[in-house]
Amino acid sequence: MEKVLEVKDLHVSFKTYGGEVKAVRGVSFDLHKGETLAIVGESGCGKSVTSQSIMGLIPEPPGKITGGQILFKQRDLTRLKEAELRKIRGADISMIFQDPMTALNPTIAIGEQIMEGILQHKSISRAEAKKKTIEMLNLVGIPSPQSRLKQYPHQFSGGMRQRIVIAMALVCEPDVLIADEPTTALDVTIQAQILELFKDIQNKTGVSIILITHDLGVVAQVADRIAVMYAGKVVEAGTRREIFYNPQHPYTKGLLNSVPRLDLDGAELVPIPGSPPDLFAPPVGCPFAARCKYAMEVCDRVYPSKTHMSNEHNVDCWLQDERAQNMLAMMGR
Ligand code: SF4
């Protein structure tokens, strides 16, 4: 399948008075045309920092991309100047956030806000931009869009506002849409409708989607592939089926046990005990070791390398590595 975006060994740090926080520590993944890749993990795992890096939105200082590449249309986004990134943002790669009100200006009518986005990136007339805006509002399911162009954000419900934000993000027909916790602020019924809308839009436009979420329930509905992040690393990645039905990393299993699942009706929910490590001084070994009931001596001392379970499924865990028992002896430790 055609690759739209490649993230290779990305490292991102933030300088603080307390030291350097290594928020993203060697993240790699590909995004294919027309697919939805979900990046899942607890807050602070580096998933949002990864998406902000793709958008060129890491504030520098205090943040800095300290290594790796983000390849998009034969260009490395980590090396582009702000002016070049601004052209890509919104036009080729768009982003939507958790709270639609942060993306919408409360003092400007929604039609004007969407048109502004088009006119900024495309050389078309206002009449054409208006036509496109109406088409987009139609696509995202806003009823009678023509008559609502002059309305302000507060005149729409939360779910409708998120639809407007999605229309804004899609109006320039981007190749990639990054959605950072897009349904977290919405109630469950509206969440389901918005996720349905993502699938529908993807079928109609072929846009590739990166969905950032802490909620595996959201992922089950829409993701083609899933990357599980922990302490700044992708610790397991695979197709939705592999992650849900054949998870290998104890953290992925912990996440699955801690969310309600329709296919396991009545199963007890078990939270993951403990908390993620301090990213000022990340552990040299497996960052999940302190919370893992399977941890071995090697886990504390050496970070596990990637084990390929199948073409699409890989995991960073010593449990799946046949060298685990002999590793410390081999290294003379
Ligand atoms: Fe647990 Fe060791 Fe696997 Fe880490 S590498 S998840 S500590 S078994």
Side-chain angles (χ1 to χ4, degrees):
M1 222 193 287
E2 187 191 333
K3 283 181 197 169
V4 179
L5 185 82
E6 286 175 78
V7 175
K8 292 184 168 180
D9 198 24
L10 183 70
H11 289 255
V12 186
S13 290
F14 290 86
K15 285 221 163 70
T16 72
Y17 289 118
E20 189 178 340
V21 181
K22 297 175 186 76
V24 173
R25 305 186 297 137
V27 161
S28 300
F29 58 82
D30 298 333
L31 177 69
H32 300 125
K33 188 165 173 45
E35 77 164 350
T36 298
L37 169 72
I39 303 182
V40 185
E42 290 164 294
S43 97
C45 71
K47 56 190 192 306
S48 291
V49 175
T50 301
S51 62
Q52 284 159 8
S53 307
I54 298 169
M55 292 295 285
L57 291 175
I58 298 291
E60 186 182 344
K64 190 170 175 50
I65 295 179
T66 52
Q69 294 178 306
I70 300 171
L71 302 176
F72 176 72
K73 294 188 174 171
Q74 287 93 44
R75 295 207 285 176
D76 181 359
L77 301 185
T78 66
R79 298 186 172 273
L80 297 190
K81 300 237 170 355
E82 176 52 29
E84 293 171 292
L85 283 169
R86 215 175 298 132
K87 279 190 212 150
I88 290 176
R89 259 197 312 262
D92 297 300
I93 306 179
S94 269
M95 189 157 182
I96 56 174
F97 298 91
Q98 188 180 124
D99 178 5
M101 279 319 260
T102 56
L104 295 170
N105 184 330
T107 64
I108 302 178
I110 60 122
E112 200 55 46
Q113 293 193 52
I114 300 174
M115 284 198 318
E116 211 175 89
I118 314 176
L119 294 168
Q120 203 179 337
H121 291 288
K122 308 232 171 204
S123 42
I124 59 173
S125 67
R126 274 191 72 81
E128 283 170 306
K130 185 174 174 186
K131 189 165 160 257
K132 187 99 193 118
T133 299
I134 294 168
E135 271 171 33
M136 261 309 135
L137 289 172
N138 236 331
L139 181 72
V140 300
I142 301 282
S144 339
Q146 178 125 28
S147 63
R148 307 203 70 176
L149 290 178
K150 288 201 159 58
Q151 292 188 330
Y152 291 85
H154 74 269
Q155 293 173 283
F156 293 84
S157 66
M160 284 293 162
R161 283 200 287 260
Q162 194 59 305
R163 284 173 191 265
I164 294 165
V165 171
I166 295 170
M168 258 167 96
L170 290 171
V171 78
C172 292
E173 295 162 16
D175 298 289
V176 178
L177 174 68
I178 301 176
D180 192 350
E181 304 276 8
T183 60
T184 306
L186 306 171
D187 74 45
V188 179
T189 323
I190 310 292
Q191 267 190 22
Q193 290 170 4
I194 296 288
L195 292 171
E196 196 54 46
L197 175 65
F198 276 123
K199 270 286 151 215
D200 188 35
I201 285 170
Q202 191 166 54
N203 289 337
K204 286 181 182 149
T205 65
V207 66
S208 307
I209 299 177
I210 297 178
L211 180 64
I212 311 278
T213 180
H214 67 283
D215 183 351
L216 270 171
V218 163
V219 166
Q221 218 173 322
V222 291
D224 298 303
R225 286 189 305 127
I226 299 171
V228 178
M229 277 191 76
Y230 187 77
K233 287 178 175 288
V234 173
V235 294
E236 182 163 13
T239 60
R240 176 179 50 180
R241 171 161 281 279
E242 281 162 326
I243 297 295
F244 272 86
Y245 295 106
N246 189 25
Q248 296 298 320
H249 198 286
Y251 177 62
T252 311
K253 291 180 188 175
L255 278 182
L256 286 165
N257 290 337
S258 62
V259 294
R261 285 172 63 181
L262 286 176
D263 58 335
L264 298 177
D265 197 16
E268 198 186 335
L269 300 184
V270 189
I272 306 172
S275 47
D278 182 354
L279 291 180
F280 283 112
V284 284
C286 171
F288 192 59
R291 303 171 81 182
C292 179
K293 62 180 175 188
Y294 306 104
M296 302 168 274
E297 198 185 343
V298 66
C299 304
D300 279 325
R301 309 261 200 104
V302 188
Y303 187 81
S305 44
K306 243 170 233 332
T307 302
H308 294 278
M309 310 302 299
S310 72
N311 278 348
E312 293 265 22
H313 187 187
N314 55 64
V315 62
D316 296 6
C317 176
W318 281 114
L319 288 177
Q320 305 306 328
D321 192 325
E322 58 190 19
R323 299 167 304 165
Q325 290 307 322
N326 303 321
M327 195 64 194
L328 293 179
M330 276 160 54
M331 296 178 73
R333 296 192 194 187

